[in-house]
Amino acid sequence: MPATPVLELRRLNKSFGPVQVLHDVSFSAEAGEVTALVGDNGAGKSTLVKCIGGIHPIDSGDYLFEGAPVHVNSPRDAAGLGVEIVYQDLALADNLDIVQNMFLGRERKRGLVLDEATMEEMAAKTLTGLSVRTVHSVRQQVSSLSGGQRQTVAIAKAVLWNSKVVVLDEPTAALGVAQTQQVLELVRRLADKGLAVVLISHNLNDVFAVSDRIAALYLGRMAAQVRTSDVTHAQVVELITSGRSGELGLANGDGLNGVKA
Amino acid sequence: MSVMVTKGAPETGSAPISSHVRGYLDRVRGGDVGALPAILGLVVLCTIFTILRPAFLSEGNFANLFTQGAAVTVIAMGLVFVLLLGEIDLSAGFASGVCAAVLAVLLTNHGWPWYWAVVASLVTGAGIGLVLGVLVAKLGIPSFVVTLAAFLAFQGIVLMLMNEGSNISIRDDTILAVANKNVSPALGWLMLAVGLAGYAAVQLWQARGRVSRGLTADPISLIAIRVAAVAVIAGVAVYVLNQERSRNAIVVSLKGVPIVVPLIVVLLIGWTFVLRRTAYGRHIYAVGGNREASRRAGINVDRIRISAFMICSTMAAVGGVIAASRANSVDPNTGGSNVLLYAVGAAVIGGTSLFGGKGRVLDAVLGGAVVAVIDNGMGLMGYSAGVKYVVTGLVLLLAAGVDALSRKRAAATGLR
């Protein structure tokens, strides 16, 4: 295992008004690995992701990138570090084509004018590099794509920028069997290319299929972060539903004590 | 995903014309009708009016169409920006009235030179847009409510500027020339030649640039057809407008392209460039298509929304100047009555969606032509203003219906 994780969070706290959503959450993601982030509804997965992506500022705790403490206060800060987030609701504009979406907010320009040719080349190269062969033309409108293709475009958008960490928020939630398989293969390829991939999923089959490590959140606390090969399906279910499983997990099942992972 | 055609890299080289035609037909069938209804409507309306009233096709009336429709068309061009965001500006009509009133007061009552008066009028427009945009974007009041309130308030401001109802006549020759004078026939031809050469050059340069990098480009033949079509239409228009329109040519000669035409063409090219070729324009479409996605992409959504309202109101100011020029005066009803609905109608009839994310500045021009033809043709037929309103209202409803239906159809075919 590499000495320093690409992304590391230490004792992160986050409250919305009187409601504390994240309690002393520690989390890390290594290059070349898929780290699955699991947890029941309301466990704080999405909040944690938004903290990583700079959408929510963190209340306290350390955000370390490649071992160095950083301050991430906006999506631009996160993108500047090389942290890209692919959100559940995709964040693609239906009325734009694939190239336009992949470069949205970061258009290549020549003077004042958009450099369409360069953007089209780079988009095509990125899709080819990810072995995406399902898209007919990069000038297709996103509205005409299937769910799996949209997810592919959203992921390709995230890796276009030589990013180091890619966080995928339930990328397979709305997909059929074949499409899920294709997206999971893409997720694995990202990690094999040396990126740190964080995969959020409710589907434990997906998690066990592609992940190297599993981090389980329970009621806003990190119940455990373990190697996938060290745990069974049933143990992960227990971690998700009660925060502990045998020696693993929170010391006290109600999740009100400190982390002991 | 699995049923899609397998292709690793984008197609290279030029596709034959037949595939372009087929692609276009597929898009139309899929609900992306674009400006087709406006163009068909224009052809049908012109045919009907010409049969019923041959005077409709006279050179004099043809020139009238442009000057009558200019103000509404320019306001509609600005409205396209707001409509692209899925918002509406109901105050654009009276905003143009306020700006025209500012122009008239400064010109006639205070004796300002025309250029400073025009600048003041445009700045007023931009300021109005800034206020509307801030209220919509920062405070989060629906644009419908903000601009409905502004609609009422601006009506009052025009009244106050006009000293409770009197009208102010405009005597400045430059301002009066905008909607009442023509460019010389020779200059008309020259502008046409320069415009066509520029259009062809840009198209060819773009196609060559793409081919040299191995990307798909429009074939030369398609570009030739496009340029030729524009050349024929514009050429006929310039030819007709260069004919003598005066009943008594010896006393006063009346020929040439009305000055508003090159003005509209310049605005059309300029705003089309902004929307299609700049990052700002791309962001307008993105915010209209998916505001949250745009925000997450790091686009300053509030700034885009505010700026769109500013462009809309500034274009309304240009429309106000044209209206003042055409009427030779400004009165409390300038920009009132049907102006706003004609402008919204023009944009929507041309193919700009009321749901945001889809539309072009060209739509406003095509739709503006439809509205002008209806207004003018029905006037020639001797119908009252009441009938004109009813018909224009029905046409707007028809256009909005086509928009809604094409969206439904596109959703069914998975295009949107």
Side-chain angles (χ1 to χ4, degrees), chain B residues 153-307:
Chain B
F154 292 164
Q155 200 168 353
I157 291 176
V158 178
L159 264 177
M160 291 191 288
L161 284 170
M162 296 282 101
N163 296 324
E164 303 300 329
S166 62
N167 75 344
I168 301 177
S169 58
I170 289 180
R171 294 184 208 95
D172 185 275
D173 287 336
T174 314
I175 298 296
L176 289 178
V178 172
N180 297 306
K181 288 280 193 303
N182 309 300
V183 299
S184 71
L187 187 57
W189 285 119
L190 180 67
M191 288 192 296
L192 175 69
V194 171
L196 280 177
Y199 179 56
V202 167
Q203 295 258 317
L204 284 174
W205 180 71
Q206 254 170 15
R208 180 171 303 173
R210 290 180 61 86
V211 168
S212 73
R213 304 177 76 155
L215 301 168
T216 47
D218 295 337
I220 300 292
S221 45
L222 187 73
I223 294 172
I225 292 173
R226 240 187 254 146
V227 174
V230 173
V232 168
I233 294 169
V236 168
V238 171
Y239 175 78
V240 172
L241 289 171
N242 277 347
Q243 303 300 305
E244 184 61 60
R245 300 195 287 272
S246 174
R247 295 217 174 109
N248 198 342
I250 301 149
V251 180
V252 55
S253 174
L254 194 60
K255 58 182 176 182
V257 178
I259 289 174
V260 288
V261 175
L263 178 65
I264 287 180
V265 170
V266 167
L267 288 171
L268 171 67
I269 293 172
W271 288 126
T272 302
F273 173 82
V274 167
L275 275 184
R276 298 280 299 278
R277 294 275 171 259
T278 67
Y280 173 76
R282 178 71 37 88
H283 294 171
I284 294 237
Y285 281 103
V287 172
N290 189 339
R291 195 186 301 169
E292 183 56 22
S294 310
R295 194 177 70 81
R296 288 181 186 176
I299 296 170
N300 189 332
V301 173
D302 286 353
R303 201 155 67 196
I304 296 284
R305 293 173 82 199
I306 293 170
S307 64

Side-chain angles (χ1 to χ4, degrees), chain B residues 310-330:
Chain B
M310 289 178 71
I311 290 173
C312 181
S313 298
T314 309
M315 287 296 279
V318 177
V321 173
I322 294 174
S325 165
R326 183 172 154 68
N328 295 350
S329 69
V330 175

Side-chain angles (χ1 to χ4, degrees), chain A residues 76 87 89 91-92 95 100 104 107 113-114 116 118 120-121 124 133-135 143-144 146 148-149 152 179 182, chain B residues 1 4 6-8 10 210 213 215 273 277-279 282-283 285-286 289-290 293 296-298 357 414-416:
Chain A
R76 277 193 190 266
Y87 292 98
D89 40 8
L92 298 178
N95 59 336
Q100 292 170 342
L104 191 59
E107 289 83 0
V113 188
L114 293 170
E116 297 283 356
T118 302
E120 194 168 325
E121 271 181 348
R133 302 190 187 286
T134 53
V135 181
S143 57
S144 70
S146 71
Q149 288 174 320
T152 305
Q179 299 192 343
Q182 273 163 340
Chain B
M1 193 160 182
M4 297 305 288
T6 300
K7 201 160 285 177
R210 290 180 61 86
R213 304 177 76 155
L215 301 168
F273 173 82
R277 294 275 171 259
T278 67
R282 178 71 37 88
H283 294 171
Y285 281 103
N290 189 339
R296 288 181 186 176
L415 275 173
R416 187 167 289 271

